[in-house]
Amino acid sequence: MRKRDDAFEAFRASNPVDESTVPAPDSPQARALFDEITATPRTQEVALARFPRRRLVVAIAVALLALASIAAAWLILRDVTDPIAVVCYQAPSLDSDAADATTEGTLGVELCEPAWKSGRLVNEDIVPSGEVPPLVGCVTDQGNLAVFPSDSQALCTQLGLAEPNPESVPDSDVLRELQNELVQHFDQQVCQPIEDASQDVRRILDTHGFEDWQIQVAPGGAGRPCASLAFDVANETVHLVPIPDLSSGARP
C-alpha cells in the first residue's frame, strides 16, 4: 500500500494546476459544472463515430455495383461459335417447340422467318398464322443462336442466355458459307464413294481457309458405299458417315 500512496503523491506533485485557484469539489461552482457535463447529450460523438462507417458502407456498395457491371458486361455478350445449328423457337421459352432455321443467308434472326411464313412455327397468341413475329436472338452455352418470338430486349437475360457478340458474326458467316457449299456438293451427288467424298471435302475446306479442320470417316460396310455429311464445329471436324445407296432401292 505504501508504494501506491507514493505514486499518487508523485502524481499530485506533478499537477501543473494551482489547486488554490480551483473551487472545492463540494462548492456550488463545481456542482454546477458537474451537472452541466452529465446533462450534455452525446449526439455529436455518436454522429462522428457513425459517419466514417456510413462512408465505408457507401464505398463498398459502389465497388460492388462496379464489379456487378463488369460481370454483367462479360455475361451479356457471347460469340456465336456454332453458327450452323440455328434453332427457331415457337415461344419465348427454351421448353417450347422449335424448328431448324434455313441454311441460306447470313447469321441473324432473319434465318427463322421462313419457318414462321411457311407455318412450321405457329403461335397465334403472338401473331396470326403465316405472319412473322418480332424476333430476338440469344446465344446458348454451346455457342448456338437461339431465336425467340419476342420484342423484349431483356429476354436473353431472363432466359439465362447471352446476347450475340456482333464481332463474331463475320467469322460465323464464313463458316455458314462453308457449310452451304459442302451441303450443295453432296446434294448434287447420287452416291459419292467415301474416298472421293473425303478428297472433295478436303479441297473445299482448304479453299475456304479451314486447313486446320480434320476429316473423320465412320465405320461402314459393303452395304453402305455412299458418303453423308455431318459437322462437329466444336472440334473442327467434318464427319463422313457411310450410308446405303438409296438410288438403287436399298434400305438402311
Side-chain angles (χ1 to χ4, degrees):
M1 293 295 296
R2 191 61 196 162
K3 290 183 178 180
R4 183 179 178 183
D5 292 342
D6 292 343
F8 278 109
E9 290 296 331
F11 183 78
R12 291 191 186 94
S14 63
N15 185 3
V17 178
D18 185 0
E19 294 185 359
S20 63
T21 62
V22 178
D26 57 348
S27 66
Q29 297 94 329
R31 291 184 178 277
L33 180 59
F34 177 81
D35 293 339
E36 180 181 354
I37 292 174
T38 56
T40 301
R42 301 178 61 186
T43 306
Q44 184 176 5
E45 179 182 349
V46 173
L48 289 174
R50 290 182 179 178
F51 180 68
R53 182 179 299 177
R54 178 180 295 181
R55 286 177 52 183
L56 178 61
V57 170
V58 172
I60 293 175
V62 171
L64 290 176
L65 286 174
L67 291 174
S69 299
I70 294 173
W74 182 78
L75 291 174
I76 286 175
L77 295 181
R78 181 174 293 141
D79 290 350
V80 182
T81 55
D82 189 357
I84 291 177
V86 178
V87 183
C88 312
Y89 286 87
Q90 185 171 280
S93 168
L94 289 167
D95 297 325
S96 69
D97 292 337
D100 292 334
T102 179
T103 59
E104 300 294 333
T106 58
L107 184 68
V109 298
E110 296 79 11
L111 295 174
C112 289
E113 291 182 356
W116 289 93
K117 292 178 179 178
S118 65
R120 287 193 295 133
L121 290 179
V122 177
N123 190 335
E124 295 189 349
D125 291 337
I126 300 177
V127 293
S129 178
E131 293 189 13
V132 180
L135 299 174
V136 173
C138 306
V139 183
T140 68
D141 293 340
Q142 293 73 36
N144 306 117
L145 183 67
V147 181
F148 303 90
S150 176
D151 57 1
S152 172
Q153 299 303 312
L155 181 65
C156 297
T157 301
Q158 294 170 0
L159 296 178
L161 304 176
E163 295 183 10
N165 183 359
E167 296 180 358
S168 68
V169 172
D171 291 338
S172 299
D173 287 338
V174 172
L175 187 56
R176 289 180 59 80
E177 291 176 6
L178 169 68
Q179 176 207 20
N180 290 337
E181 184 169 342
L182 287 171
V183 169
Q184 290 173 6
H185 174 79
F186 277 78
D187 286 345
Q188 294 169 0
Q189 310 297 321
V190 176
C191 175
Q192 188 175 31
I194 294 292
E195 184 177 348
D196 293 346
S198 180
Q199 294 175 0
D200 290 343
V201 169
R202 181 76 271 164
R203 172 180 52 81
I204 294 173
L205 287 171
D206 294 346
T207 300
H208 284 267
F210 289 83
E211 295 90 350
D212 294 338
W213 278 49
Q214 305 297 315
I215 301 173
Q216 288 189 0
V217 179
R224 298 174 180 270
C226 308
S228 65
L229 185 69
F231 291 92
D232 183 355
V233 176
N235 294 308
E236 299 184 345
T237 301
V238 174
H239 294 275
L240 296 179
V241 183
I243 61 174
D245 184 359
L246 301 179
S247 64
S248 63
R251 294 181 178 276

